[in-house]
Amino acid sequence: MDDVEGHPLLAVYLARREELVRYFRIRLRSAEAAEDLVQDIYLKIAARPVTGAPEEIGNPGAYLYRLGSNLMLDRIKQQRRADRRHAEWQDSETMSAGGEPVDQAPPADEAVAARQRLDQILETVGAMSPSVREAFRLHKLEGLSHAETARAMGVSRSSVEKHIMASLRQILKRIGR
């Protein structure tokens, strides 16, 4: 409590904390949002340097309500901007026909066929020799260049290129184009 004695605004805050919560609960229509806002008021005033001059703020109670109102308005503006960005993103990512959203998921038969092709690729990769499989994994799945894959495997770049070509030939042979 020594901190409160040296910080008059903090003392006023602590005395009116419940009152502030009630006030902002009504305006925000949420007890949790009001608690968060009142906590933000505390953080703002706790971060203020204590100058020891009580005349600095003429009406500390009014100051706390003004600070809270400003924080509340900032949050509302921030939420509106986020909602607008989300709506714009949603509009750009969603196809619609006649004002109704259209499902962009592939038809079920295409999804099943794609899953079957993936299973065939995984089986083919699993059946590859360890060195070919490792080169394929490092280059195609991990995204390493041929030179980086060669260094990681301790082989020449030419060997990596041959392994990659062999893996692709095996996959194309199994699933076709």
Side-chain angles (χ1 to χ4, degrees):
M1 278 301 189
D2 291 336
D3 292 341
V4 175
E5 291 173 13
H7 201 307
L9 190 55
L10 189 55
V12 173
Y13 166 83
L14 291 173
R16 294 194 176 183
R17 187 181 187 293
E18 291 305 315
E19 198 178 302
L20 288 163
V21 171
R22 274 192 307 275
Y23 179 83
F24 288 109
R25 182 183 310 129
I26 291 168
R27 273 140 194 83
L28 294 168
R29 297 185 183 120
S30 166
E32 294 84 14
E35 286 287 345
D36 287 348
L37 184 72
V38 171
Q39 181 65 30
D40 286 348
I41 293 171
Y42 170 80
L43 293 173
K44 286 281 191 187
I45 61 174
R48 283 177 51 102
V50 180
T51 60
E55 67 277 359
E56 199 175 301
I57 297 175
N59 185 342
Y63 175 80
L64 293 175
Y65 283 95
R66 172 61 65 188
L67 177 59
S69 294
N70 288 343
L71 290 171
M72 180 179 65
L73 291 174
D74 288 346
R75 281 186 178 190
I76 291 169
K77 288 176 189 175
Q78 184 179 17
Q79 185 61 47
R80 284 184 182 155
R81 282 192 301 269
D83 290 347
R84 193 169 42 251
R85 276 192 312 269
H86 178 72
E88 288 171 3
W89 178 83
Q90 192 80 17
D91 288 346
S92 72
E93 294 295 316
T94 305
M95 292 182 62
S96 63
E100 293 295 318
V102 176
D103 186 15
Q104 292 179 289
D109 58 336
E110 288 180 23
V112 169
R115 181 67 196 170
Q116 289 172 342
R117 279 192 308 277
L118 178 60
D119 289 342
Q120 290 174 336
I121 291 170
L122 293 174
E123 280 179 27
T124 304
V125 171
M128 293 176 185
S129 70
S131 58
V132 172
R133 184 174 49 242
E134 181 67 4
F136 179 83
R137 183 186 68 78
L138 291 172
H139 180 63
K140 293 296 185 182
L141 302 179
E142 301 292 329
L144 299 181
S145 68
H146 286 180
E148 292 168 329
T149 301
R151 276 194 299 277
M153 293 179 63
V155 297
S156 70
R157 182 179 173 158
S158 174
S159 293
V160 168
E161 291 170 354
K162 289 176 187 173
H163 290 328
I164 297 297
M165 289 304 297
S167 67
L168 294 176
R169 260 190 252 107
Q170 289 176 33
I171 291 170
L172 287 175
K173 182 179 176 185
R174 174 79 188 266
I175 65 165
R177 284 206 182 249

